Amino acid sequence: MLAGTAIGVYLLVVVGATTALTDAAAACPTWPACHGRWLVPLDRPKLAVAWGHRVAALGVALALAATTALAWATDTEGRVRAALTTSAVLYPAQVGLGAFAATTATPALLSAVHLVVGMAIFGGIVVALAWTLEPETFDEPTGVEDPEEVPDAHEPSPAPTAARPDGLLARAKRTGFAYFRLMKPRLMWLLCLVASAAMALAAGSSSALQVETVVATLTGGVLSIGASGTFNHVLERDVDKKMNRTADRPAATDQIPVRNAVAFGVLLVALSLGAFLTVNVLAAALGMFAILFYSVIYTLLLKPNTVQNTVIGGFAGALPALIGGAAVTGRIGLPAVVLAGVIFLWTPAHFYNLALAYKDDYARGGFPMMPVVRGEAVTRKHILLYLGATLLAAGLLSAVTTLGLVYAGTSVAFGALFLWAVVRLHHERTEQAAFRSFHASNAYLGALLLAVVVDALVF
């Protein structure tokens, strides 16, 4: 019930921001009924949005009241009661702000206050949900191991000689694929989608977006991701040998000599810089910083030394949003910054699931990931809290841009799917549940970014 109430409030926050920016509220300038009518024709999109928002607000009010009453009627923790009561008390004030905004010429400050109060209500419910899902007893962290004392992970059995052609062409294919794996291609599609969404927001319409800019930016992005991945493989090759999921990486297995891998990484850096420079200097500078941040700051400084490695390291994934915006406008605009914030907050909610599934592996590698040094229960709570923060940032994005109902509907639907997976993770506490939540996080961000592109360029 708490999770459903949270999604209901989130629906109001996102659609409320969309309603204000598309002037849908102007179609219904009276309150609570529209022009004195309690039932309105739904063939007018703006009127349907404004009226639907009010109907949803009534339903969410009933759900929040019932949830709060239930918390007080049962043996619920005091902090949960306090969080829900705070949200319940703020709700009438939020309704009043909405009514005033619907019936008057709304100043920008009032709209901002209305959005902030809605976010505070949502935040209170998410915090209450996180506390409710906490186990009675927390697991003891296992702690990291010393990689130098850990034997290498078992390597996969080699394929039979007869099934593995050893001709010149076959060797060339194997070597080429090894270089391809150095580039971490699995990261490319999502990060390129981040840059694409930022470019779409900056352009505002398909006519304002040049094909040459898109191609050059995405090419530079793919090459910079490849360079970062290559340097990461080289720098972590010894630790990779200790971990089951990374023991077969090209640098760890000496498929690619270190000297060759470094040369390949440098080549990718040069090609990436060249591609970005055909766009503008700011995009090139941000691209170079992205390579440096992931390869040096994250790989060498953050990942092996602090439990906050995933949180701070999320900046690496957020940089493509700044690059995409800068590629179109030549500057870093507010929409790009907010989109980068969405990616930054999404990263822990996404990656902590993988850290749960591979907790023992990360301990073998000596990496102080959240489940290793703080425990699984704390990690699960952080996943939920960062998911809540991600949803709030996504709601803010709808407020600072002209994104409409396609974006709002996608954010709510896939946000609900992600939240469902995280709640299941809290109840099941299994590796399978962690992977389910991990895939739900990918689905959420992928769908959200596609919705940004479609909404910004088509509608």
Side-chain angles (χ1 to χ4, degrees):
M1 190 173 182
L2 258 177
T5 304
I7 288 299
V9 173
Y10 182 64
L11 170 67
L12 295 178
V13 170
V14 177
V15 176
T18 303
T19 301
L21 292 178
T22 57
D23 291 328
C28 184
T30 60
W31 194 91
C34 284
H35 305 289
R37 301 173 62 181
W38 292 100
L39 296 176
V40 301
L42 301 180
D43 55 348
R44 295 168 56 189
K46 290 184 178 181
L47 183 60
V49 169
W51 181 244
H53 185 256
R54 296 183 189 183
V55 172
L58 176 60
V60 172
L62 295 175
L64 179 57
T67 302
T68 306
L70 185 63
W72 283 95
T74 58
D75 187 20
T76 303
E77 283 189 83
R79 57 180 181 171
V80 175
R81 289 177 178 177
L84 287 174
T85 301
T86 301
S87 294
V89 169
L90 286 174
Y91 200 88
Q94 176 75 342
V95 171
L97 289 170
F100 186 78
T103 56
T104 61
T106 308
L109 179 60
L110 180 61
S111 295
V113 172
H114 186 58
L115 179 64
V116 170
V117 173
M119 289 182 168
I121 294 170
F122 175 75
I125 297 172
V126 170
V127 169
L129 179 60
W131 284 335
T132 301
L133 292 173
E134 278 185 352
E136 293 183 2
T137 58
F138 285 68
D139 58 295
E140 288 293 332
T142 58
V144 297
E145 301 181 39
D146 185 351
E148 295 184 1
E149 298 180 0
V150 174
D152 290 353
H154 296 294
E155 297 184 7
S157 302
T161 305
R164 185 177 180 182
D166 203 32
L168 180 62
L169 181 59
R171 290 199 301 272
K173 286 182 178 179
R174 287 199 301 273
T175 302
F177 184 66
Y179 276 104
F180 179 67
R181 288 185 62 201
L182 282 177
M183 299 172 66
K184 294 197 171 182
R186 291 182 180 180
L187 300 178
M188 291 178 179
W189 73 274
L190 197 57
L191 293 177
C192 285
L193 198 51
V194 172
S196 298
M199 285 189 283
L201 286 175
S205 66
S206 57
S207 59
L209 194 59
Q210 297 181 342
V211 175
E212 296 83 357
T213 300
V214 175
V215 172
T217 302
L218 295 183
T219 300
V222 166
L223 293 169
S224 66
I225 295 166
S228 302
T230 298
F231 293 137
N232 175 268
H233 274 237
V234 171
L235 294 171
E236 291 187 347
R237 64 188 184 280
D238 292 331
V239 176
D240 282 342
K241 296 176 183 179
K242 314 293 182 180
M243 301 170 58
N244 291 311
R245 80 181 191 94
T246 59
D248 66 339
R249 286 181 171 176
T253 56
D254 297 323
Q255 296 177 60
I256 304 296
V258 172
R259 182 178 60 182
N260 293 6
V262 171
F264 181 62
V266 171
L267 174 62
L268 292 175
V269 170
L271 294 175
S272 172
L273 181 61
F276 280 134
L277 283 174
T278 64
V279 180
N280 57 54
V281 175
L282 180 56
L286 289 170
M288 288 297 297
F289 180 69
I291 296 172
L292 177 66
F293 186 90
Y294 186 81
S295 303
V296 178
I297 298 177
Y298 173 71
T299 300
L300 292 181
L301 301 180
L302 296 175
K303 190 174 179 180
N305 295 310
T306 173
V307 69
Q308 298 299 327
N309 48 24
T310 301
V311 176
I312 305 172
F315 187 58
L319 280 168
L322 304 183
I323 294 171
V328 174
T329 64
R331 59 185 179 84
I332 299 175
L334 181 59
V337 172
V338 177
L339 180 60
V342 173
I343 308 304
F344 179 80
L345 294 169
W346 167 86
T347 301
H350 162 74
F351 187 79
Y352 281 160
N353 294 288
L354 204 63
L356 281 171
Y358 292 114
K359 182 184 71 171
D360 294 339
D361 234 8
Y362 281 117
R364 286 173 58 87
F367 294 122
M369 297 300 181
M370 180 70 71
V372 176
V373 299
R374 298 283 175 83
E376 295 186 14
V378 172
T379 304
R380 288 192 297 268
K381 183 172 74 171
H382 280 236
I383 291 172
L384 178 56
L385 293 176
Y386 274 108
L387 169 56
T390 301
L391 294 177
L392 287 177
L396 181 61
L397 184 63
S398 68
V400 301
T401 63
T402 57
L403 295 172
L405 292 180
V406 172
Y407 173 80
T410 302
S411 181
V412 172
F414 282 87
L417 175 66
F418 192 2
L419 180 60
W420 169 81
V422 171
V423 172
R424 288 281 302 274
L425 171 65
H426 277 76
H427 289 304
E428 297 178 13
R429 306 173 190 175
T430 63
E431 182 180 307
Q432 181 183 7
F435 277 120
R436 182 194 300 122
S437 183
F438 174 79
H439 293 309
S441 69
N442 273 330
Y444 166 76
L445 188 62
L448 189 79
L449 296 172
L450 283 174
V452 169
V453 173
V454 172
D455 216 331
L457 298 182
V458 178
F459 293 95

